[in-house]
């Protein structure tokens, strides 16, 4: 379980060191127009090197302006009660590859995959927040808007996505506000958050910066999502890597709060450490959960929601490796109460989304959540009376008490608890069960109804870009 | 005395001591030791040993990278002093860079280092490079191979533009094109008309040897 004293010491140390780096070295803003804006707002700016530093005054003002009450809603306006209390689970995203729903073939993902993967996340009870999970590679430069439209159409759970270019932000916001019934209604009960990644250390692309600034103008929650690679784009120790992660995020907490005070910001990390044998970035490594639990700790320190990469795997099929890695990378995040655990459906080091893995992830999450309840303390008077009455050699199976409580135990939907001969007779594997379930969900999916006229409104926005667009 | 110096140069590469390697190279020039012999009997012996240790699983990438860095530091001192007609033997000439719009450097640099360590002469043109910049570098380096990297799904299409630009420049028969980066796949490489795709730095080296038809 989390150790509050250790976490507080760690967070204070990491915060102090980030402040030191941001005051002495700063961060790069590769855009003259924004550099000028930041200089006018009081940031020490070097136009030639494009480096921006922070001051203690700016830091204090920003941390005071940062909204601490992060809430997340579904499309119907109902609050996601677990959010910020226990971890909620979210779809992964957004690679260009998928293992085909029917054949398992490794291929490029399409808009149809987005629709189907959203439908599955909508149906799976343990998935709380939905992502497109793949890139619709058949939609070219408009994949981002198509994916947002499909999200809004096919699930009423909270959703998370981003735009590729700043010019798409207004159209995306227009669709969100159409669903919410206006910009004010959206901001009162946000059901969408966006995310942008720095290039560690100390750099955001101009496109991503402009996207963030436009979302901030609309008052939409933004996740500052670090993707540091320990040993490559950050130091090899977890502490050193966490300082890079925090420095990149704190730089933009300060910048966005100074330019747009009160913008809801979330603390994100989908970081990992590099495998020095191959130069690849393994996401199923124990260090994956470890480093991103640091983001959960820092999120608590700043009092904002955290989005942390875990429930990850490097496996290429639904096998023992997948099971081991998915669980070991989720546990440290549960332990530190990450607000969002980011990873449902991902496999192959996050490079491919798997329909069958997505279905099995639901099973894993259910099991972990049960385990996390621990042994609850309550008055055991009834149990003690029952034990006395049944001692010695009694049977508790017919007791009313048993009848009332046994369903608190976990019952799997997919995993086999059969005897050997029954298992043999059924002839099913985890893979075949998951594939069947995924196919059934897709076949029976009915998009949850949108308010009257909203579907047409979404299509109207999309037709400005794709004249033939329809759901 | 020269033999001693070759050994020390090799050891500086094996131990990953760039400053030591550079100082030894300076010392060699001051003492009038043949620079080409320093390269072939010192640095190359060292980097081959580093390669062996890497293949055996004893060394990981950080040792390999710092070893290659040591070799490069010494080469920078020695190469300008090679006599007319003398040239370091290279397996092939490679131009490498990250495509236009993409600022990711680490993967590309790793491939460049691995190729250097395997005897290629590598011109690393850096990140965010247009097809025109690649073409100019291919001409300047008289390259046999070009490697281009893209980490983003939004920038991988630049690789296709590079293939087209190389064709238009009339260089397509002269250079082999390798593509790489997280979203890139074998089928994408084929689709855009590249000669090969490698999914990591180690297979990139195998690919490079295969493409220029040299024994690895």
């Amino acid at each position: 379980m989390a150790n509050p004293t250790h976490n507080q010491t760690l967070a204070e140390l990491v915060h102090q060191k980030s402040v030191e780096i941001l005051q002495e070295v700063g961060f790069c803003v590769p855009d003259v127009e924004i550099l000028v804006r930041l200089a006018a707002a009081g940031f020490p700016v070097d136009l030639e090197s494009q480096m921006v530093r922070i001051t203690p005054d700016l830091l204090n003002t920003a941390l005071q302006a940062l909204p601490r009450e992060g809430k997340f809603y579904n499309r119907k306006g109902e609050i996601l009660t677990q959010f910020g209390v226990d971890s909620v689970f979210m779809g992964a995203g957004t690679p260009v590859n998928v293992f085909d729903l029917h054949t398992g073939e490794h291929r490029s993902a399409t808009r149809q995959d987005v629709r189907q993967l959203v439908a599955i996340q909508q149906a799976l009870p343990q998935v709380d927040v939905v992502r497109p999970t793949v890139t619709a590679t058949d939609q070219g430069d408009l994949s981002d808007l198509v994916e947002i439209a499909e999200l809004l159409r096919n699930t009423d759970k909270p959703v998370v996505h981003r735009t590729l270019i700043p010019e798409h932000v207004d159209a995306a916001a227009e669709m969100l506000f159409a669903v919410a019934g206006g910009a004010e209604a959206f901001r009162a009960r946000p059901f969408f958050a966006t995310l942008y990644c720095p290039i560690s250390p100390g750099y955001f692309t101009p496109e991503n910066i402009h996207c963030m600034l436009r979302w901030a103008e609309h008052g939409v929650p933004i996740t500052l999502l670090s993707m540091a690679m320990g040993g490559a784009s950050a130091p090899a120790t977890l502490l050193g890597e966490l300082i890079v992660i925090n420095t990149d995020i704190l730089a933009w907490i300060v910048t966005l709060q100074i330019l747009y005070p009160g913008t809801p910001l979330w603390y994100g990390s989908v970081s990992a450490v590099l495998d020095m044998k191959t130069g690849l970035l393994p996401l199923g490594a124990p260090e994956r959960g470890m480093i991103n639990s640091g983001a959960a700790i820092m999120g608590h320190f700043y009092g904002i929601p955290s989005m942390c990469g875990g429930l990850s795997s490097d496996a290429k099929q639904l096998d023992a490796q997948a099971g081991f890695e998915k669980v070991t990378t989720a546990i440290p995040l549960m332990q530190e109460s990450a607000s969002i655990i980011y990873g449902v459906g991902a496999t192959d080091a996050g490079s491919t989304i798997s329909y069958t893995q997505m279905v099995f992830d639901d099973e894993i999450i259910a099991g972990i959540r049960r385990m996390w309840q621990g042994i609850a303390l309550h008055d055991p008077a009834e149990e003690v009376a029952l034990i006395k009455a049944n001692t010695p050699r009694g049977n508790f199976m017919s007791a009313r008490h048993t009848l009332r409580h046994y369903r608190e135990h976990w019952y799997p939907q997919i995993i086999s608890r059969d005897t050997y001969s029954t298992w043999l007779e059924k002839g099913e594997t985890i893979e075949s069960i998951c594939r069947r379930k995924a196919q059934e969900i897709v076949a029976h999916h009915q998009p949850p109804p949108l308010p009257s006229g909203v579907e047409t409104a979404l299509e109207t926005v999309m037709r400005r870009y794709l004249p033939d667009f329809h759901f | 005395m020269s033999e001693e110096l070759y050994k020390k140069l090799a050891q500086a590469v094996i131990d990953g001591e760039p400053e030591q390697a550079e100082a030894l190279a300076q010392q060699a020039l001051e003492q009038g030791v043949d620079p080409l012999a320093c390269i072939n009997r010192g640095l190359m012996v060292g980097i081959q040993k580093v390669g062996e240790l890497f293949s055996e699983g004893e060394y990981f990438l950080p040792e390999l990278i710092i070893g290659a860095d040591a070799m490069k530091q010494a080469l920078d001192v020695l190469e300008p002093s090679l006599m007319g007609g003398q040239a370091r033997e290279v397996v092939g000439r490679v131009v490498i860079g990250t495509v236009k719009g993409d600022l990711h450097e680490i993967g590309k640099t790793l491939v460049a280092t691995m190729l250097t360590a395997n005897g290629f002469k590598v011109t690393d043109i850096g990140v965010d490079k247009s097809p025109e910049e690649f073409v100019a570098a291919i001409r300047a380096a008289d390259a046999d191979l070009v490697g281009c990297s893209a980490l983003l799904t939004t920038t991988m299409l630049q690789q296709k533009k590079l293939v087209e630009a190389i064709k238009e420049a009339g260089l397509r028969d002269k250079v082999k094109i390798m593509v790489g980066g997280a979203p890139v796949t074998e089928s994408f490489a084929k689709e855009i008309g590249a000669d090969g795709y490698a999914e990591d730095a180690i297979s990139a080296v195998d690919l490079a040897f295969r493409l220029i038809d040299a024994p690895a």
Side-chain angles (χ1 to χ4, degrees):
Chain A
M1 279 298 168
N3 176 341
T5 315
H6 171 84
N7 288 0
Q8 187 64 24
T9 309
L10 175 67
E12 279 170 11
L13 176 68
V14 168
H15 173 72
Q16 277 168 17
K17 297 302 169 193
S18 296
V19 170
E20 179 185 323
I21 294 166
L22 290 173
Q23 288 183 350
E24 288 179 18
V25 179
F27 56 104
C28 184
V29 179
D31 187 293
V32 178
E33 179 203 328
I34 297 167
L35 286 170
V36 171
R37 260 179 93 179
L38 292 178
F43 286 87
V45 167
D46 183 334
L47 284 173
E48 199 179 328
S49 67
Q50 303 182 318
M51 292 298 285
V52 176
R53 287 178 293 120
I54 68 166
T55 64
D57 277 353
L58 288 168
L59 179 65
N60 288 338
T61 309
L63 290 181
Q64 273 166 23
L66 180 65
R68 295 314 204 287
E69 211 181 69
K71 288 194 175 148
F72 211 15
Y73 296 78
N74 67 20
R75 206 181 72 187
K76 294 180 286 189
E78 297 159 350
I79 193 161
L80 189 60
T81 48
Q82 291 153 288
F83 187 66
V85 182
D86 299 315
S87 297
V88 304
F89 284 82
M90 180 173 86
T94 36
V96 294
N97 304 310
V98 70
F99 288 116
D100 185 81
L101 172 62
H102 301 286
T103 65
E105 179 204 356
H106 185 263
R107 59 165 173 79
S108 296
T110 62
R111 180 179 169 195
Q112 190 187 8
D113 290 304
V114 171
R115 201 182 299 130
Q116 292 176 350
L117 289 160
V118 171
I120 293 174
Q121 292 172 84
Q122 165 73 5
L124 294 175
Q126 306 298 333
V127 179
D128 308 292
V129 182
V130 177
R131 295 217 62 206
T133 69
V134 288
T135 297
T137 61
D138 56 343
Q139 303 297 311
D141 294 344
L142 293 167
S143 61
D144 51 356
L145 290 179
V146 171
E147 288 149 13
I148 289 172
E150 292 291 359
L151 277 173
L152 296 176
R153 170 78 173 99
N154 287 294
T155 181
D156 53 13
K157 292 181 179 180
V159 292
V160 169
H161 204 31
R162 47 93 190 109
T163 53
L164 296 170
I165 56 168
E167 290 70 29
H168 287 175
V169 172
D170 292 347
E174 196 179 338
M175 290 196 279
L176 296 179
F177 299 160
V179 172
E184 278 314 313
F186 175 85
R187 286 192 280 267
R189 289 169 180 264
F191 54 84
F192 172 96
T194 192
L195 47 81
Y196 289 92
C197 298
I199 298 177
S200 296
Y203 190 93
F204 261 100
T205 64
E207 289 77 19
N208 280 353
I209 292 173
H210 282 284
C211 284
M212 290 197 293
L213 296 182
R214 287 216 191 179
W215 281 116
E217 279 175 31
H218 289 297
V220 171
I222 301 168
T223 314
L224 299 161
L225 187 70
S226 171
M227 270 191 186
M229 301 183 284
S233 68
T237 55
L238 295 182
L239 178 60
E241 185 174 0
L242 185 57
I243 292 171
V244 167
I245 292 169
N246 193 64
T247 306
D248 288 351
I249 293 174
L250 185 60
W252 284 88
I253 288 178
V254 175
T255 307
L256 289 166
Q257 291 306 323
I258 295 295
L259 295 182
Y260 299 95
T263 302
L265 297 179
W266 297 1
Y267 196 109
S269 173
V270 288
S271 302
V273 300
L274 209 71
D275 180 320
M276 292 300 187
K277 273 187 173 175
T278 59
L280 298 173
L281 195 69
L283 299 191
E287 290 83 2
R288 163 81 161 173
M290 291 163 78
I291 186 60
N292 293 329
S293 77
I297 292 169
M298 296 312 297
H300 291 304
F301 177 76
Y302 293 113
I304 58 177
S306 56
M307 179 188 288
C308 305
L311 198 76
S312 316
S313 172
D314 300 316
K316 282 73 183 167
Q317 53 186 358
L318 196 41
D319 58 7
Q321 180 183 340
F324 166 74
E325 293 178 337
K326 285 275 174 173
V327 174
T328 44
T329 55
I331 295 289
L333 305 182
M334 294 287 287
Q335 202 166 353
E336 301 304 345
S337 304
S339 309
I340 294 181
I341 297 179
Y342 178 139
V344 176
T347 190
D348 181 25
S351 297
T352 309
I353 294 292
S354 158
Y355 285 91
T356 53
Q357 183 72 57
M358 181 175 277
V359 171
F360 194 65
D361 283 347
D362 193 69
E363 180 95 330
I364 292 175
I365 299 165
I368 297 177
R369 280 183 158 156
R370 169 57 179 151
M371 176 176 81
W372 224 254
Q373 291 168 355
I375 302 177
L377 260 182
H378 63 99
D379 178 2
E382 200 182 349
E383 284 90 333
V384 172
L386 201 58
I387 296 164
K388 286 177 183 168
N390 279 286
T391 304
R393 304 196 59 213
N395 182 347
F396 295 83
M397 209 162 153
S398 61
R400 287 266 146 211
H401 179 269
T402 302
L403 204 63
R404 280 205 313 278
H405 290 286
Y406 81 92
R407 281 177 191 268
E408 293 163 12
H409 301 169
W410 185 56
Y411 287 86
Q413 305 287 314
I414 298 165
I415 279 171
S416 167
R417 288 175 172 177
D418 295 324
T419 62
Y420 177 68
S421 55
T422 309
W423 174 79
L424 203 62
E425 205 175 295
K426 284 184 179 169
E428 286 195 311
T429 62
I430 298 271
E431 169 86 26
S432 68
I433 298 169
C434 289
R435 188 170 307 285
R436 176 165 45 75
K437 281 180 177 280
Q439 289 168 345
E440 280 168 9
I441 293 171
V442 167
H444 296 116
H445 173 66
Q446 294 287 341
L450 282 158
S452 164
V454 170
E455 199 170 300
T456 315
L458 299 182
E459 285 177 332
T460 306
V461 173
M462 289 306 298
R463 282 178 192 154
R464 295 208 294 263
Y465 299 88
L466 290 165
D468 297 334
F469 184 90
H470 61 88
F471 284 115
Chain B
M1 199 179 78
S2 305
E3 289 298 328
E4 188 63 23
L5 200 57
Y6 302 150
K7 256 190 204 158
K8 279 186 180 166
L9 275 165
Q11 200 58 43
V13 173
I14 295 165
D15 294 343
E17 298 284 358
E19 284 160 21
Q20 172 81 355
E22 189 184 352
L24 286 166
Q26 291 286 5
Q27 191 189 327
L29 293 186
E30 281 157 22
Q31 295 173 357
V33 181
D34 176 16
L36 190 61
C38 286
I39 293 171
N40 289 337
R41 300 178 60 188
L43 299 176
M44 294 313 288
V45 171
I47 202 71
Q48 273 159 15
K49 180 70 187 167
V50 169
E52 276 167 35
L53 289 168
F54 182 75
S55 308
E56 289 161 10
E58 177 64 29
Y59 273 11
F60 284 15
L61 291 169
E63 288 92 351
L64 189 97
I65 289 168
I66 201 159
D69 194 28
M71 180 172 94
K72 188 176 177 300
Q73 294 294 326
L75 274 179
D76 286 350
V77 175
L78 296 170
E79 274 191 314
S81 301
L82 292 176
M83 313 293 170
Q86 259 191 339
R88 165 165 83 98
E89 232 180 271
V90 294
V91 181
R93 290 180 173 74
V94 189
V95 165
I96 193 166
T98 303
V99 297
K100 185 87 197 149
D102 201 321
L103 298 156
H104 291 87
E105 181 138 37
I106 291 171
K108 175 267 304 164
T109 306
L110 183 58
V111 174
T113 303
M114 295 286 286
L115 289 170
T116 306
N118 279 277
F120 287 84
K121 187 170 175 68
V122 179
T123 309
D124 185 344
I125 59 172
V127 300
D128 193 17
K129 293 300 172 198
S130 66
E132 296 72 39
E133 288 169 295
F134 268 96
V135 166
I138 293 166
R139 286 215 171 92
D142 190 23
D144 322 295
L145 262 174
V146 58
C148 63
S149 166
L151 187 77
L152 304 173
T153 53
T154 46
T155 55
M156 59 194 276
L157 286 173
Q158 285 290 333
Q159 295 181 328
K160 187 177 179 191
K161 291 190 179 154
L162 176 59
V163 174
E164 285 159 7
I166 290 172
K167 271 186 205 157
E168 276 167 32
L171 294 168
R172 190 64 190 90
D173 296 336
K174 202 192 156 307
V175 282
K176 300 284 187 186
I177 305 169
M178 313 198 286
V179 293
V184 180
T185 59
E186 184 81 55
S187 59
F188 177 77
K190 278 203 186 114
E191 191 185 309
I192 64 169
D195 295 300
Y197 154 78
E199 57 183 10
D200 60 30
I202 296 158
S203 42
V205 174
D206 294 340
L207 176 66
F209 276 112
R210 217 164 52 237
L211 288 180
I212 62 160
D213 208 14

